[in-house]
């Protein structure tokens, strides 16, 4: 069984930065595409960023130029560096990882951007 553990959320002022981490653990699997999603209050879940095994990345228009997704394949970990945060970035952030044993969701971590 593959499990994901997220960390790094919290409260930050507008213009600040946070770094989220999501680590996959277990045995007998290989990680493929890794993604970050978010769900803001009263809104549908949104795909924020994607990174492939080859390191190709893509972003939602709302975060381009501010967020950076990266991965450490040796650690089966994906990161989301979030800079120039805005109040509208407030949401619960979830990682989703595709593996050879199926897709897995993280537990979610709250990010609140407020002064």
């Amino acid at each position: 069984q593959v499990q994901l553990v997220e960390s790094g959320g919290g409260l930050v002022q507008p213009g600040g930065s946070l770094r989220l981490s999501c680590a996959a653990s277990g045995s007998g699997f290989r990680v493929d595409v890794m993604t970050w999603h978010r769900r803001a209050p009263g809104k549908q879940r949104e795909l924020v960023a994607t990174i492939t095994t080859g390191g190709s990345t893509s972003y939602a228009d709302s975060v381009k130029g501010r967020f950076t997704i990266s991965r450490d394949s040796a650690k089966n970990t994906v990161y989301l560096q979030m800079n120039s945060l805005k109040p509208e970035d407030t949401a619960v952030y979830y990682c989703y990882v595709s593996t050879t044993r199926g897709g897995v969701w993280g537990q979610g971590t709250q990010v609140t951007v407020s002064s």
Side-chain angles (χ1 to χ4, degrees), residues 3-6 22-23 35-36 92-97 104-109:
Q3 292 185 323
L4 301 181
V5 177
E6 298 183 33
C22 173
T35 58
W36 285 98
V92 178
Y93 284 71
Y94 300 89
C95 59
Y96 178 81
V97 174
V104 186
W105 285 98
Q107 82 277 12
T109 185

Side-chain angles (χ1 to χ4, degrees), residues 13-100:
Q13 292 186 340
S17 298
L18 282 174
R19 188 193 195 207
L20 307 182
S21 300
C22 173
S25 63
S27 62
F29 70 97
R30 188 182 71 250
V31 173
D32 191 4
V33 175
M34 308 180 89
T35 58
W36 285 98
H37 304 248
R38 67 185 180 186
R39 176 171 280 159
K43 295 187 177 181
Q44 290 189 332
R45 187 174 61 211
E46 173 188 23
L47 174 61
V48 175
T50 301
I51 186 165
T52 68
T53 51
S56 296
T57 59
S58 61
Y59 299 92
D61 288 343
S62 57
V63 307
K64 279 182 182 176
R66 300 188 297 121
F67 290 12
T68 301
I69 188 171
S70 61
R71 65 190 288 167
D72 184 336
S73 294
K75 296 181 179 180
N76 286 331
T77 300
V78 61
Y79 305 96
L80 187 68
Q81 178 67 44
M82 305 184 293
N83 298 328
S84 302
L85 282 161
K86 305 175 181 179
E88 51 264 43
D89 294 318
T90 295
V92 178
Y93 284 71
Y94 300 89
C95 59
Y96 178 81
V97 174
S98 298
T99 79
T100 49

